[in-house]
Amino acid sequence: MTTGFVHTTAPSRIVFGAGTLETVPQEVTRLGRERVLVLASPELAEAGDRIEKALGPLAVARFDGAAMHTPVPVTDEAAELLRAVSADCVVAVGGGSTTGLAKALAARTGIDQVVVPTTYAGSEVTPVLGETADGVKTTRSSPDILPETVVYDVELSAGLPVPVAVTSAVNALAHAVEALYSPDANPAIDALALDAIRRLATGLRRLGDGTDDLATRSELLQGAWLAGTCLGAVGMSLHHKLCHTLGGSFDLPHAPTHTVVLPHAMAYNAAAAPAAMARVAEALGVADAPSGVYDLVVRAGGPTALGDLGLAESDIAVAAGIAVEKPYPNPAELTRDGIEGLLRDAWAGQRPR
Ligand code: NAD
């Protein structure tokens, strides 16, 4: 059978290596820019200092206020600074939250972005922005939002503490898994997804075994880039929607929530997407994909129960209701009872059957 598809390659420049942080000034100059606003967060102040030093006179201001879920008041404050110093480029160092701030500024002003990711969230290679105003998170997509240049520095990424690296890597794994059963799936993205799964699984196993070296971090960062590219290219399904609900309505932490939910969302979809699951299982080197992902999380020391992340048992039914409010494409039919069962298993931390 021939399956039709449409595939657009996103026009971003990727610089990958160890010590690449030092190339940020060249990347800014390459874009024809000369007045940089450096974006960071309090946890990454040291990395912000290193980038500011490397940029020298190209850096004209610094903003360390990036926060989770890209709150609009924070973007307002950064935008005011950007205007006051007449910046023509932002350089963002940090996880998805700092990347979100850079994207929000680009969405408003069209300013060029150089992003230096320190987690595996993958936002740096997607044209999507999620922002929060008055407690409501909205998402939009536009070519202006996609960062022009991404500088992946394996050495810098090695500073990410192991427990955060584990959950962030499973967050990336989720992009690759859902890409394989996306309605927009195509052979190019399938190939990236499978390579991402192999690399992320290798990195997670090595972290679990205590082999935390640059080779491990390189596998994880390459896997994150490839998985993020999948996220930016094809639509996601049940797993991402559920995590969006749990993060947005119950304030659960982004990457740990992905880590707990992924094996259960896969189990829910397994019978309806047998070919995709077989490919995931093969890439992981296991017989069954959902339980294989669960075992990988356990081996790496990641969280397995939503109850441990702060979700009250009484919230399960409410979350299931929100999750089925708006229909979206998914391999298995979405039923309120089915989702409630999934969430009960995830809440208790059961291994998928
Ligand atoms: P994050 O950016 O909030 O980082 C998690 C925590 O780790 C933060 O406290 C951060 O300061 C800290 N941290 C990051 N790097 C560190 C390092 N090297 N050393 C020490 N601490 C470090 O979280 P995240 O999981 O990277 O991103 C989540 C956010 O990104 C969410 O708001 C999510 O919605 C968004 N996101 C958006 C997209 C998209 O395509 N639009 C994709 C993925 C994630």
Short mmCIF file of all heavy atoms in Angstrom, two decimals, residues 41-44 67-70 94-100 103 118-124 126-130 137 139 156-161 164 168 171 175 231 254-255, ligand 1:
data_model
loop_
_atom_site.label_atom_id
_atom_site.label_comp_id
_atom_site.label_asym_id
_atom_site.label_seq_id
_atom_site.Cartn_x
_atom_site.Cartn_y
_atom_site.Cartn_z
N SER A 41 18.43 31.68 33.47
CA SER A 41 17.57 31.56 34.66
C SER A 41 18.51 31.50 35.86
O SER A 41 19.71 31.26 35.69
CB SER A 41 16.72 30.30 34.57
OG SER A 41 17.56 29.17 34.57
N PRO A 42 18.00 31.70 37.08
CA PRO A 42 18.90 31.69 38.24
C PRO A 42 19.73 30.41 38.33
O PRO A 42 20.92 30.47 38.65
CB PRO A 42 17.93 31.80 39.43
CG PRO A 42 16.73 32.48 38.88
CD PRO A 42 16.62 32.03 37.46
N GLU A 43 19.13 29.23 37.98
CA GLU A 43 19.87 27.96 38.06
C GLU A 43 21.02 27.91 37.06
O GLU A 43 21.97 27.15 37.21
CB GLU A 43 18.96 26.76 37.77
CG GLU A 43 17.93 26.48 38.83
CD GLU A 43 16.62 27.21 38.56
OE1 GLU A 43 16.62 28.21 37.80
OE2 GLU A 43 15.60 26.80 39.12
N LEU A 44 20.90 28.69 35.98
CA LEU A 44 21.92 28.63 34.93
C LEU A 44 22.69 29.94 34.82
O LEU A 44 23.21 30.29 33.75
CB LEU A 44 21.27 28.25 33.61
CG LEU A 44 20.96 26.75 33.59
CD1 LEU A 44 19.84 26.42 32.68
CD2 LEU A 44 22.21 25.98 33.22
N ALA A 67 11.02 31.62 33.26
CA ALA A 67 10.25 30.81 34.21
C ALA A 67 9.42 29.77 33.46
O ALA A 67 9.12 29.93 32.28
CB ALA A 67 9.34 31.70 35.04
N MET A 68 9.06 28.69 34.17
CA MET A 68 8.29 27.58 33.60
C MET A 68 6.98 28.08 32.96
O MET A 68 6.33 28.97 33.51
CB MET A 68 7.98 26.61 34.75
CG MET A 68 7.42 25.28 34.32
SD MET A 68 8.69 24.20 33.63
CE MET A 68 8.44 22.70 34.51
N HIS A 69 6.62 27.50 31.81
CA HIS A 69 5.37 27.75 31.09
C HIS A 69 5.28 29.16 30.49
O HIS A 69 4.19 29.64 30.15
CB HIS A 69 4.14 27.49 31.99
CG HIS A 69 4.11 26.09 32.54
ND1 HIS A 69 4.28 24.98 31.75
CD2 HIS A 69 3.95 25.63 33.81
CE1 HIS A 69 4.24 23.90 32.50
NE2 HIS A 69 4.05 24.25 33.75
N THR A 70 6.41 29.86 30.37
CA THR A 70 6.48 31.14 29.67
C THR A 70 5.35 32.11 30.07
O THR A 70 4.47 32.43 29.26
CB THR A 70 6.47 30.93 28.12
OG1 THR A 70 7.20 29.75 27.82
CG2 THR A 70 7.09 32.08 27.38
N GLY A 94 19.60 27.37 28.53
CA GLY A 94 18.74 26.76 29.55
C GLY A 94 17.87 25.66 28.95
O GLY A 94 18.10 25.21 27.83
N GLY A 95 16.85 25.27 29.71
CA GLY A 95 15.93 24.24 29.26
C GLY A 95 14.78 24.83 28.47
O GLY A 95 14.85 25.98 27.99
N GLY A 96 13.70 24.06 28.37
CA GLY A 96 12.55 24.49 27.58
C GLY A 96 11.95 25.81 28.06
O GLY A 96 11.37 26.55 27.27
N SER A 97 12.12 26.11 29.35
CA SER A 97 11.55 27.37 29.87
C SER A 97 12.28 28.59 29.30
O SER A 97 11.63 29.57 28.90
CB SER A 97 11.64 27.38 31.40
OG SER A 97 10.89 26.31 31.92
N THR A 98 13.60 28.53 29.25
CA THR A 98 14.37 29.67 28.71
C THR A 98 14.17 29.75 27.19
O THR A 98 14.02 30.85 26.64
CB THR A 98 15.87 29.52 29.06
OG1 THR A 98 15.97 29.19 30.43
CG2 THR A 98 16.62 30.80 28.80
N THR A 99 14.15 28.60 26.54
CA THR A 99 13.87 28.60 25.09
C THR A 99 12.50 29.21 24.84
O THR A 99 12.32 29.97 23.87
CB THR A 99 13.92 27.15 24.54
OG1 THR A 99 15.17 26.57 24.89
CG2 THR A 99 13.74 27.12 23.04
N GLY A 100 11.54 28.91 25.71
CA GLY A 100 10.19 29.46 25.56
C GLY A 100 10.20 30.98 25.60
O GLY A 100 9.50 31.64 24.82
N LYS A 103 11.55 32.29 22.33
CA LYS A 103 10.54 32.15 21.28
C LYS A 103 9.43 33.19 21.42
O LYS A 103 8.92 33.72 20.43
CB LYS A 103 9.92 30.74 21.35
CG LYS A 103 10.84 29.63 20.87
CD LYS A 103 10.18 28.29 21.20
CE LYS A 103 10.49 27.25 20.16
NZ LYS A 103 9.76 25.98 20.42
N THR A 118 20.11 23.11 27.50
CA THR A 118 20.79 22.35 28.57
C THR A 118 19.95 21.17 29.05
O THR A 118 20.35 20.46 29.96
CB THR A 118 21.10 23.25 29.77
OG1 THR A 118 19.87 23.75 30.30
CG2 THR A 118 22.01 24.40 29.40
N THR A 119 18.74 21.00 28.49
CA THR A 119 17.92 19.81 28.79
C THR A 119 17.60 19.14 27.46
O THR A 119 18.07 19.58 26.40
CB THR A 119 16.60 20.17 29.50
OG1 THR A 119 15.73 20.82 28.57
CG2 THR A 119 16.83 21.05 30.72
N TYR A 120 16.77 18.09 27.52
CA TYR A 120 16.45 17.32 26.32
C TYR A 120 15.01 17.57 25.85
O TYR A 120 14.44 16.75 25.14
CB TYR A 120 16.68 15.83 26.59
CG TYR A 120 18.03 15.53 27.20
CD1 TYR A 120 18.17 14.77 28.36
CD2 TYR A 120 19.20 16.04 26.62
CE1 TYR A 120 19.42 14.51 28.92
CE2 TYR A 120 20.46 15.79 27.18
CZ TYR A 120 20.55 15.03 28.33
OH TYR A 120 21.78 14.79 28.88
N ALA A 121 14.42 18.70 26.27
CA ALA A 121 13.00 18.96 25.98
C ALA A 121 12.71 19.07 24.49
O ALA A 121 11.63 18.73 24.03
CB ALA A 121 12.55 20.23 26.70
N GLY A 122 13.67 19.58 23.70
CA GLY A 122 13.50 19.62 22.24
C GLY A 122 12.82 20.86 21.70
O GLY A 122 12.67 21.01 20.49
N SER A 123 12.41 21.78 22.56
CA SER A 123 11.68 22.96 22.10
C SER A 123 12.48 23.78 21.08
O SER A 123 11.90 24.42 20.20
CB SER A 123 11.35 23.82 23.33
OG SER A 123 10.72 25.00 22.95
N GLU A 124 13.80 23.75 21.19
CA GLU A 124 14.67 24.58 20.33
C GLU A 124 14.54 24.26 18.84
O GLU A 124 14.93 25.07 18.01
CB GLU A 124 16.14 24.41 20.77
CG GLU A 124 16.75 23.02 20.59
CD GLU A 124 16.38 22.02 21.70
OE1 GLU A 124 15.68 22.43 22.64
OE2 GLU A 124 16.79 20.86 21.59
N THR A 126 11.52 23.30 17.40
CA THR A 126 10.11 23.32 16.99
C THR A 126 9.64 24.77 16.78
O THR A 126 10.13 25.68 17.45
CB THR A 126 9.15 22.66 18.02
OG1 THR A 126 8.80 23.62 19.02
CG2 THR A 126 9.75 21.43 18.67
N PRO A 127 8.66 24.97 15.88
CA PRO A 127 8.13 26.32 15.66
C PRO A 127 6.93 26.62 16.57
O PRO A 127 6.09 27.44 16.24
CB PRO A 127 7.70 26.27 14.19
CG PRO A 127 7.31 24.85 13.97
CD PRO A 127 8.09 23.99 14.94
N VAL A 128 6.87 25.91 17.71
CA VAL A 128 5.70 26.00 18.59
C VAL A 128 6.04 26.76 19.87
O VAL A 128 7.11 26.56 20.45
CB VAL A 128 5.21 24.58 18.96
CG1 VAL A 128 3.99 24.64 19.87
CG2 VAL A 128 4.88 23.79 17.71
N LEU A 129 5.11 27.60 20.30
CA LEU A 129 5.27 28.35 21.55
C LEU A 129 4.06 28.14 22.43
O LEU A 129 2.93 28.32 21.99
CB LEU A 129 5.43 29.85 21.23
CG LEU A 129 5.27 30.82 22.41
CD1 LEU A 129 6.41 30.66 23.42
CD2 LEU A 129 5.21 32.26 21.91
N GLY A 130 4.30 27.76 23.69
CA GLY A 130 3.21 27.69 24.67
C GLY A 130 3.43 28.82 25.68
O GLY A 130 4.52 28.95 26.21
N LYS A 137 -2.86 28.24 29.59
CA LYS A 137 -1.75 28.05 28.66
C LYS A 137 -2.29 27.91 27.24
O LYS A 137 -3.15 27.06 26.97
CB LYS A 137 -0.96 26.80 29.06
CG LYS A 137 0.34 26.63 28.28
CD LYS A 137 1.28 25.64 28.94
CE LYS A 137 2.56 25.48 28.12
NZ LYS A 137 3.55 24.61 28.75
N THR A 139 -1.23 27.69 22.97
CA THR A 139 -0.12 27.25 22.11
C THR A 139 -0.33 27.81 20.71
O THR A 139 -1.46 27.85 20.23
CB THR A 139 -0.12 25.71 22.06
OG1 THR A 139 -0.04 25.23 23.39
CG2 THR A 139 1.06 25.17 21.30
N LEU A 156 28.57 21.34 28.26
CA LEU A 156 27.64 22.13 29.07
C LEU A 156 26.48 21.24 29.56
O LEU A 156 26.06 21.33 30.72
CB LEU A 156 27.10 23.30 28.24
CG LEU A 156 26.08 24.20 28.93
CD1 LEU A 156 26.73 25.02 30.04
CD2 LEU A 156 25.42 25.13 27.91
N SER A 157 25.99 20.37 28.66
CA SER A 157 24.84 19.52 29.01
C SER A 157 25.19 18.54 30.14
O SER A 157 24.31 18.05 30.83
CB SER A 157 24.33 18.75 27.79
OG SER A 157 25.13 17.62 27.54
N ALA A 158 26.48 18.26 30.31
CA ALA A 158 26.91 17.32 31.36
C ALA A 158 26.63 17.87 32.75
O ALA A 158 26.61 17.13 33.73
CB ALA A 158 28.39 16.99 31.20
N GLY A 159 26.38 19.18 32.85
CA GLY A 159 26.07 19.80 34.15
C GLY A 159 24.63 19.53 34.60
O GLY A 159 24.27 19.83 35.74
N LEU A 160 23.81 18.99 33.71
CA LEU A 160 22.42 18.69 34.08
C LEU A 160 22.42 17.54 35.09
O LEU A 160 22.93 16.45 34.79
CB LEU A 160 21.64 18.29 32.82
CG LEU A 160 20.13 18.14 32.97
CD1 LEU A 160 19.46 19.45 33.32
CD2 LEU A 160 19.53 17.57 31.67
N PRO A 161 21.89 17.76 36.30
CA PRO A 161 21.93 16.69 37.32
C PRO A 161 21.25 15.41 36.82
O PRO A 161 20.26 15.48 36.09
CB PRO A 161 21.15 17.30 38.50
CG PRO A 161 21.16 18.78 38.25
CD PRO A 161 21.22 18.97 36.77
N VAL A 164 17.41 14.91 36.75
CA VAL A 164 16.74 15.77 35.74
C VAL A 164 17.05 15.24 34.34
O VAL A 164 16.17 15.23 33.47
CB VAL A 164 17.19 17.25 35.85
CG1 VAL A 164 16.30 18.15 34.99
CG2 VAL A 164 17.20 17.73 37.29
N SER A 168 14.17 14.18 31.66
CA SER A 168 14.21 14.96 30.43
C SER A 168 14.42 14.04 29.22
O SER A 168 13.83 14.24 28.15
CB SER A 168 15.33 16.01 30.53
OG SER A 168 15.14 17.01 29.58
N ASN A 171 11.22 12.43 28.42
CA ASN A 171 10.41 13.45 27.74
C ASN A 171 10.73 13.43 26.24
O ASN A 171 9.83 13.41 25.38
CB ASN A 171 10.72 14.82 28.36
CG ASN A 171 9.96 16.00 27.76
OD1 ASN A 171 10.33 17.14 27.98
ND2 ASN A 171 8.92 15.74 27.01
N HIS A 175 8.55 12.07 22.42
CA HIS A 175 8.36 12.72 21.11
C HIS A 175 8.58 11.69 19.99
O HIS A 175 7.83 11.64 19.02
CB HIS A 175 9.36 13.87 20.88
CG HIS A 175 9.45 14.88 21.98
ND1 HIS A 175 8.39 15.19 22.80
CD2 HIS A 175 10.49 15.67 22.39
CE1 HIS A 175 8.78 16.12 23.66
NE2 HIS A 175 10.04 16.43 23.43
N LEU A 231 9.15 16.07 17.05
CA LEU A 231 8.09 16.86 17.69
C LEU A 231 7.70 18.07 16.84
O LEU A 231 6.53 18.44 16.74
CB LEU A 231 8.58 17.32 19.08
CG LEU A 231 7.70 18.29 19.87
CD1 LEU A 231 6.44 17.58 20.37
CD2 LEU A 231 8.47 18.86 21.07
N HIS A 254 6.83 19.14 34.31
CA HIS A 254 6.79 18.73 32.89
C HIS A 254 7.46 17.37 32.62
O HIS A 254 6.79 16.40 32.25
CB HIS A 254 7.43 19.84 32.05
CG HIS A 254 7.48 19.57 30.59
ND1 HIS A 254 6.39 19.76 29.75
CD2 HIS A 254 8.48 19.09 29.81
CE1 HIS A 254 6.74 19.42 28.52
NE2 HIS A 254 8.00 19.01 28.54
N ALA A 255 8.77 17.31 32.79
CA ALA A 255 9.50 16.09 32.38
C ALA A 255 9.18 14.88 33.27
O ALA A 255 8.98 13.77 32.75
CB ALA A 255 11.01 16.37 32.34
P1 NAD B 1 13.00 23.72 32.40
O1 NAD B 1 13.57 24.54 31.32
O2 NAD B 1 12.03 24.38 33.31
O3 NAD B 1 14.19 23.07 33.21
C1 NAD B 1 13.91 22.19 34.30
C2 NAD B 1 14.75 22.60 35.52
O4 NAD B 1 16.10 22.25 35.28
C3 NAD B 1 14.73 24.11 35.77
O5 NAD B 1 14.73 24.35 37.15
C4 NAD B 1 16.05 24.56 35.14
O6 NAD B 1 16.53 25.78 35.66
C5 NAD B 1 16.94 23.39 35.47
N1 NAD B 1 18.07 23.20 34.59
C6 NAD B 1 18.05 23.20 33.24
N2 NAD B 1 19.29 22.94 32.78
C7 NAD B 1 20.07 22.77 33.86
C8 NAD B 1 21.46 22.47 34.04
N3 NAD B 1 22.25 22.25 32.99
N4 NAD B 1 21.94 22.40 35.29
C9 NAD B 1 21.13 22.57 36.35
N5 NAD B 1 19.83 22.84 36.26
C10 NAD B 1 19.31 22.94 35.02
O7 NAD B 1 12.26 22.40 31.88
P2 NAD B 1 12.31 21.59 30.50
O8 NAD B 1 11.79 20.25 30.85
O9 NAD B 1 13.60 21.72 29.79
O10 NAD B 1 11.24 22.37 29.63
C11 NAD B 1 9.90 22.40 30.01
C12 NAD B 1 9.19 23.60 29.41
O11 NAD B 1 9.43 23.66 28.03
C13 NAD B 1 7.69 23.48 29.59
O12 NAD B 1 7.16 24.78 29.82
C14 NAD B 1 7.23 22.93 28.25
O13 NAD B 1 5.90 23.26 27.96
C15 NAD B 1 8.20 23.59 27.31
N6 NAD B 1 8.41 22.82 26.07
C16 NAD B 1 7.99 23.38 24.90
C17 NAD B 1 8.18 22.70 23.72
C18 NAD B 1 7.76 23.33 22.43
O14 NAD B 1 7.99 22.78 21.38
N7 NAD B 1 7.15 24.50 22.46
C19 NAD B 1 8.80 21.46 23.71
C20 NAD B 1 9.22 20.90 24.91
C21 NAD B 1 9.02 21.61 26.10
#
